Amino acid sequence: MESKEGRKKEILIVDDEPSILKLLNFILSAEYTLIIKTSGIEAIAWLEEGNDPDLIISDLMMPYFDGSSMIRNLKISGFYRNTPVILLSGAEDLEEKVKEMPFKIDRFIEKPFNPNTLKSHITELLA
């Protein structure tokens, strides 16, 4: 999917599981420019360099700086308040965890996930 400027839309993917990163790269790289980070710390550092992705896909449970902490910091900063976020997680009671978060998550998807469902959510959020 291309933006109005004619470039591929950019998706920041934050996950510490190599198998998930390979899967996401396989199903999304033809349509989107993917920036892959393996921790919330790496993702925040990349964003602080002035990068502005069109969408963020993040795992919830990661070591050191989890997805919830990373997204909270992004939403509080104001710069990424309107950047759509898809949360991927294998956590039990994911829907309850999302409801308890003090910030907006645009979509949440439980692992393992259907690639077509993920692509559909991405298309909707980037429209």
Side-chain angles (χ1 to χ4, degrees), residues 76-87:
I76 288 171
S77 77
F79 293 111
Y80 304 99
R81 174 178 322 152
N82 297 318
T83 302
V85 174
I86 296 176
L87 195 61

Side-chain angles (χ1 to χ4, degrees), residues 1 32 107 117-127:
M1 174 177 278
Y32 304 99
R107 300 286 193 287
T117 300
L118 175 64
K119 289 174 89 171
S120 174
H121 286 300
I122 291 170
T123 300
E124 288 174 24
L125 291 169
L126 293 177

